[in-house]
Amino acid sequence: MDVEVRDTRGSVERIRARYAVGCDGGRSTVRELLGIGFPGTDATLTAILGDVVLADPPERLPLMERRESGSFWVLEFEPGWHRVITYDYSRVPDRSRPCTLDDLRASMLRIAGTDFRMHSPRWISSFGDAARQAESYRRGRVLLAGDAAHIHFPAGGQGLNTGMQDAANLGWKLAAVVRGEASPSLLDTYESERHPVAARVLQNTRAQTALAAPGPRTEALREIFGALVHLEPVTHTLAAMITALDVRYDMGSGDHPLLGLRMPDADLVNDRVYDLLHAARPVLLDLGADSDLPSIAEGLAGGIDVVRTRCGNPRWTLPVLGEIDAPRAVLIRPDGHVAWVMDQEQTRPDGLRAALERWCGISC
């Protein structure tokens, strides 16, 4: 395909590429040109964030209060500079004009009754809680990632995490296809794996903004929910969801608890697992299994990294699962997710050939 790129000075350069990825934000031109729908929910609030000087700062910091029309926060980042944040449920953001200090002042006066005599802004930004997701992440040889594929309220910093995981998932697959190491059908797994993840992020951020809304009904809900989050299983479930550490991809077969999750950074005899992933290649980790794994691995030197080592600890700790027995062997995709596992009870690497062919384009 041919793509015309125009820089800020108006110069146009024509680039020819086999694939293109639209990473151009929530108002993505690439997505619009492809005609991909962006359904979802509209904004119900305006959040304004500013780094400012407060001539009359509050005595108690950090300060967070809920009021009749919204909430506000005041944090001190460094002496003399404060971050002020408002959630104003009486207005929705006007995306047609930039946010100003006057807007932040007015929002603070509406919600808190004072603007703490703020002045000299370093940075002012506004955003809403619109939540939308592209109907499809791929149209032929063009794909979408990051905010071009999904937007939501930035609760918990999940937007950055979700976009980076999009890139980690798509990058190695696109590279393998371009190098001829995998079939173009591998790119179909990008949408099937990442679309449900972003859909869940949209849902939990909608829930978070609903819990932050003013009013007696929300207060009742917050009281009940606040009691629930003191329960350890609830805390662990929410923490795993917000951090995306519970993301599990469907690897096609197998039921090992580690399969599809991110590989833990286990302590090996001479390395740690994550040190083995820097080359962004698949890693077949042989932890000393007395099987025919070495004979299979002999012919793989050109396609993946085969590492023979031993665990420093026979028990691994995972963020979601807790402790599990260290497996005999694992196949780790370049994005760090486990594509195949051989547990301690197995003596034969059943399923390894199918996993290698599906995820690494290797027949053996």
Side-chain angles (χ1 to χ4, degrees), residues 168 172-173 262 277 279-283 332-337 359-360:
W172 72 271
K173 295 174 180 177
R262 271 195 65 83
L277 304 181
R281 288 160 51 87
V283 174
I332 311 169
R333 303 191 322 187
D335 60 359
H337 283 262
W359 299 112
C360 309

Side-chain angles (χ1 to χ4, degrees), residues 326-363:
R328 287 177 177 263
V330 290
L331 176 63
I332 311 169
R333 303 191 322 187
D335 60 359
H337 283 262
V338 176
W340 171 83
V341 186
M342 180 179 180
D343 64 29
Q344 294 289 347
E345 284 69 39
Q346 287 180 260
T347 58
R348 295 179 55 81
D350 298 330
L352 176 57
R353 288 180 171 85
L356 288 168
E357 185 170 353
R358 180 180 185 188
W359 299 112
C360 309
I362 295 172
S363 298

Side-chain angles (χ1 to χ4, degrees), residues 1 12 18 32 49 75 83 90 101 104 126 137 139 149 162 199-200 214 241 250 264 278 283 304 318 334 343 349 359:
M1 70 182 72
V12 176
R18 289 175 59 189
E32 291 181 5
L49 181 154
L75 315 168
R83 173 158 292 184
S90 67
L101 179 63
L104 180 56
S126 69
Y137 282 13
R139 185 67 54 84
T162 308
R200 190 177 67 158
M241 178 176 63
D250 181 6
H278 291 172
V283 174
I304 69 174
L318 278 70
D343 64 29
W359 299 112

Side-chain angles (χ1 to χ4, degrees), residues 271-335:
D271 292 291
R272 296 197 65 86
V273 168
Y274 288 0
D275 293 332
L276 307 176
L277 304 181
H278 291 172
R281 288 160 51 87
V283 174
L284 180 59
L285 189 60
D286 181 358
L287 298 171
D290 50 350
S291 66
D292 58 354
L293 180 61
S295 64
I296 294 176
E298 285 177 0
L300 303 180
I304 69 174
D305 293 332
V306 179
V307 179
R308 296 181 176 88
T309 184
R310 292 188 178 277
C311 293
N313 190 328
R315 298 280 290 173
W316 287 0
T317 301
L318 278 70
V320 178
L321 298 178
E323 284 198 351
I324 65 169
D325 291 328
R328 287 177 177 263
V330 290
L331 176 63
I332 311 169
R333 303 191 322 187
D335 60 359

Side-chain angles (χ1 to χ4, degrees), residues 5-300:
V5 179
R6 186 183 305 272
D7 64 22
T8 56
R9 296 169 296 182
S11 300
V12 176
E13 181 180 359
R14 183 179 294 272
I15 299 174
R16 172 164 291 185
R18 289 175 59 189
Y19 292 91
V21 183
C23 305
D24 52 338
R27 287 172 279 186
S28 170
T29 300
V30 174
R31 187 187 64 239
E32 291 181 5
L33 290 174
L34 290 174
I36 294 177
F38 202 44
T41 52
D42 294 330
T44 63
L45 64 90
T46 295
I48 305 180
L49 181 154
D51 292 341
V52 297
V53 176
L54 299 183
D56 186 20
E59 294 181 1
R60 177 173 57 88
L61 290 172
L63 177 64
M64 182 276 179
E65 292 190 8
R66 290 165 49 78
R67 298 288 178 86
E68 185 177 344
S69 60
S71 307
F72 71 92
W73 289 257
V74 181
L75 315 168
E76 186 176 32
F77 274 178
E78 58 185 83
W81 286 97
H82 294 79
R83 173 158 292 184
V84 178
I85 307 169
T86 63
Y87 288 2
D88 190 341
Y89 282 80
S90 67
R91 287 164 172 74
V92 295
D94 181 357
R95 308 299 295 179
S96 66
R97 66 177 186 83
C99 188
T100 67
L101 179 63
D102 287 340
D103 293 323
L104 180 56
R105 280 176 173 154
S107 184
M108 281 295 292
L109 287 169
R110 269 193 307 273
I111 297 171
T114 177
D115 65 359
F116 301 106
R117 295 171 58 201
M118 65 178 68
H119 62 88
S120 305
R122 279 181 175 175
W123 179 50
I124 302 285
S125 179
S126 69
F127 47 92
D129 64 328
R132 299 185 177 279
Q133 185 175 22
E135 290 177 330
S136 172
Y137 282 13
R138 182 184 180 189
R139 185 67 54 84
R141 294 178 179 266
V142 184
L143 302 102
L144 301 174
D147 288 354
H150 41 74
I151 61 168
H152 55 84
F153 193 72
Q158 296 178 82
L160 177 61
N161 196 17
T162 308
M164 290 180 67
Q165 289 192 15
D166 287 349
N169 187 289
L170 176 59
W172 72 271
K173 295 174 180 177
L174 191 56
V177 171
V178 169
R179 290 195 298 255
E181 298 170 356
S183 165
S185 63
L186 180 64
L187 295 177
D188 294 334
T189 66
Y190 167 61
E191 178 175 333
S192 65
E193 291 182 347
R194 295 303 302 165
H195 197 280
V197 173
R200 190 177 67 158
V201 171
L202 264 63
Q203 286 296 81
N204 87 58
T205 54
R206 287 185 179 112
Q208 291 186 67
T209 54
L211 283 167
R217 289 180 175 82
T218 304
E219 289 299 331
L221 180 61
R222 286 171 62 87
E223 184 177 337
I224 294 172
F225 198 82
L228 291 175
V229 297
H230 283 89
L231 302 176
E232 190 169 318
V234 176
T235 301
H236 286 173
T237 297
L238 292 175
M241 178 176 63
I242 298 299
T243 59
L245 289 173
D246 64 346
V247 170
R248 182 192 297 272
Y249 298 140
D250 181 6
M251 295 300 166
S253 63
D255 57 1
H256 192 279
L258 188 59
L259 191 65
L261 291 175
R262 271 195 65 83
M263 179 72 177
D265 190 18
D267 186 15
L268 307 177
V269 171
N270 297 314
D271 292 291
R272 296 197 65 86
V273 168
Y274 288 0
D275 293 332
L276 307 176
L277 304 181
H278 291 172
R281 288 160 51 87
V283 174
L284 180 59
L285 189 60
D286 181 358
L287 298 171
D290 50 350
S291 66
D292 58 354
L293 180 61
S295 64
I296 294 176
E298 285 177 0
L300 303 180

